[in-house]
Amino acid sequence: MFPRRLVGAAAAAAAAAVAAGAVPRGGGLLALLANQCRFVTGLRVRRAQQIAQLYGRLYSESARLVLLGRLWRRLRGRAGHVSAVMAAVAGFVWDEERIKEEELQRSIDEMKRLEEMSAVFQSPGVERHPPEPKSQTEGNEDPGGKKAAPWEMVMDKKHFKLWRRPIAGSHHYQYRVFGTYTDVTPRQFFNVQLDTEYRKKWDALVIKLEVIERDVVSGSEVLHWVTHFPYPMYSRDYVYVRRYSVDQDNNVMVLVSRAVEHPSVPESPEFVRVKSYESQMVIRPHKSFDENGFDYLLTYSDNPQTVFPRYCVSWMVSSGMPDFLEKLHTATLKAKNMEIKVKDYISSKPVEMGSEAKATTPSSERKNESSCGPARIEYA
């Protein structure tokens, strides 16, 4: 409970007092040890208060939050009450964790790049399909600017194409899906992905899905999602930040999500925490947001913390991805036929790109509002 050096110093002082005959042996030794521990602990606490006052004079409030956030991230891997207390004090630092405009724009640019690589995209009356996998070996870079591995075709169907590529420094793959739907509108498909309350109804794997905190100016949100995994694996839980944008001038929608850590959602022994996760969904209407027909590009990766070989995980993803997207499509058709009401996130969209700020709000809306959930794939 106490640091080893503190207990050692107190024990040494107590032993010296006993040797000098200041206190009797037995119970008196324990009492003296406790008093010494309290005394040294009090000195440490006062010292910490002095340091806090010093930093309060030297740094602004935002700078202090950043420092606390970094300290929390260094301590969060350690067990015990200290890291929990530090996590609660530090809070969630939006300045470091919110999804930036650059992340949204990167996803949109990738869709544009694919469109430019295929002349067929320019012909609205012709069946749409993405470029051949060989042409995708050029210009592939990860967010760090490093050359990424080429995409490998995994599945090639009429309205659904799936690629994968290895993630550098790991045994996992990143996946890319290109698909087309012609019987639902982009608005409906987009709204169904974002509506967490509706997700709980059409996705039987969901155990829990709720908004934890919102950055009210940028529109970023932190969500906690718990999902069943196939038997005999434990259920997985994700804590992630997501942000979406609707650009009506350029006729495109984008939804970006990635894993974060939040002090109000510590790891639970009941679930396996997935700490590595990214998803980017870009939707390009064939005509408008409210007319049937659109293309979508989904790029996805995560580390589900399984003990299965990579080829087994790859097989699960490759076989599960079409099933999930078909469930999403079916749920969209039901929403289109007004069998269930879905919130319109385009009409009540967050602040436009270019207005990132520091204002945030905790999720008092968890129970009161159908909140947003990202385009997450829970089958890997």
Side-chain angles (χ1 to χ4, degrees):
M1 185 173 180
F2 294 99
R4 290 181 179 178
R5 285 183 295 179
L6 187 155
V7 174
V18 171
V23 296
R25 297 181 180 271
L29 177 61
L30 293 177
L32 182 59
L33 177 62
N35 288 334
Q36 289 293 110
C37 287
R38 283 196 294 268
F39 174 74
V40 177
T41 301
L43 291 178
R44 296 288 178 87
V45 170
R46 283 194 293 273
R47 179 62 175 165
Q49 290 175 339
Q50 292 171 354
I51 293 174
Q53 291 173 357
L54 175 63
Y55 276 92
R57 297 189 189 100
L58 295 178
Y59 295 97
S60 64
E61 181 178 359
S62 60
R64 291 198 301 270
L65 289 175
V66 171
L67 288 172
L68 286 172
R70 291 175 179 171
L71 180 59
W72 166 56
R73 277 187 288 278
R74 295 185 64 177
L75 294 176
R76 65 190 176 193
R78 304 179 184 177
H81 299 290
V82 174
S83 61
V85 171
M86 285 303 303
V89 172
F92 188 74
V93 184
W94 277 108
D95 285 344
E96 295 187 3
E97 302 292 359
R98 68 162 56 94
I99 291 178
K100 304 292 193 299
E101 294 180 13
E102 292 78 9
E103 297 177 68
L104 299 174
Q105 192 60 49
R106 264 200 308 269
S107 300
I108 296 174
D109 290 343
E110 185 64 17
M111 183 67 156
K112 290 179 180 179
R113 191 180 70 84
L114 291 177
E115 292 172 341
E116 292 169 356
M117 290 168 62
S118 176
V120 180
F121 272 77
Q122 310 300 327
S123 305
V126 181
E127 179 186 341
R128 296 165 178 251
H129 58 81
E132 294 300 319
K134 290 183 180 179
S135 65
Q136 296 201 42
T137 61
E138 300 179 359
N140 285 322
E141 294 184 351
D142 60 22
K146 298 180 180 179
K147 194 73 174 178
W151 292 99
E152 171 193 358
M153 176 71 80
V154 177
M155 189 178 299
D156 186 0
K157 295 185 177 181
K158 185 177 181 181
H159 297 296
F160 180 92
K161 301 181 187 295
L162 171 65
W163 295 270
R164 73 179 184 184
R165 66 180 177 186
I167 299 174
S170 76
H171 299 289
H172 302 281
Y173 288 104
Q174 183 182 34
Y175 298 89
R176 167 182 286 175
V177 179
F178 180 88
T180 300
Y181 288 116
T182 59
D183 54 354
V184 292
T185 71
R187 181 191 297 268
Q188 293 158 350
F189 190 72
F190 195 67
N191 287 337
V192 168
Q193 292 182 71
L194 292 171
D195 194 326
T196 56
E197 293 304 312
Y198 185 29
R199 174 72 177 270
K200 296 173 187 177
K201 297 176 181 178
W202 63 263
D203 188 351
L205 296 178
V206 171
I207 300 174
K208 181 180 181 181
L209 183 58
E210 66 176 4
V211 176
I212 303 302
E213 187 173 342
R214 283 194 174 96
D215 181 20
V216 295
V217 176
S218 75
S220 294
E221 300 178 313
V222 177
L223 295 95
H224 183 214
W225 174 52
V226 185
T227 180
H228 292 290
F229 259 51
Y231 181 84
M233 293 188 289
Y234 286 100
S235 298
R236 263 59 176 174
D237 79 324
Y238 297 72
V239 178
Y240 57 91
V241 60
R242 72 92 179 269
R243 180 179 175 183
Y244 67 93
S245 175
V246 178
D247 187 344
Q248 303 199 40
D249 293 334
N250 293 302
N251 205 34
V252 67
M253 306 165 167
V254 60
L255 171 63
V256 175
S257 308
R258 57 173 161 75
V260 294
E261 295 194 29
H262 197 283
S264 68
V265 191
E267 292 186 44
S268 167
E270 300 179 35
F271 314 116
V272 176
R273 174 65 54 84
V274 178
K275 299 179 179 179
S276 175
Y277 160 79
E278 290 185 358
S279 173
Q280 301 92 34
M281 169 74 84
V282 182
I283 298 174
R284 175 79 75 183
H286 292 172
K287 295 181 180 179
S288 70
F289 293 140
D290 296 306
E291 295 179 83
N292 286 353
F294 61 90
D295 301 323
Y296 67 88
L297 178 66
L298 171 63
T299 306
Y300 172 86
S301 66
D302 79 346
N303 179 2
Q305 305 287 333
T306 64
V307 295
F308 298 112
R310 182 165 73 168
Y311 69 86
C312 292
V313 176
S314 177
W315 175 83
M316 287 190 292
V317 175
S318 301
S319 59
M321 194 172 286
D323 177 65
F324 170 80
L325 289 168
E326 186 52 40
K327 288 195 299 182
L328 177 60
H329 177 224
T330 301
T332 306
L333 285 172
K334 290 183 178 180
K336 175 183 178 180
N337 297 330
M338 302 302 292
E339 295 180 25
I340 187 166
K341 186 176 181 181
V342 178
K343 181 179 177 180
D344 186 0
Y345 287 86
I346 299 179
S347 297
S348 57
K349 63 184 178 181
V351 175
E352 297 291 342
M353 293 172 60
S355 55
E356 293 174 354
K358 301 177 182 179
T360 63
T361 179
S363 180
S364 60
E365 301 156 337
R366 292 187 198 178
K367 300 180 180 179
N368 301 328
E369 181 182 355
S370 298
S371 51
C372 312
R376 186 182 296 279
I377 311 298
E378 69 277 55
Y379 34 71

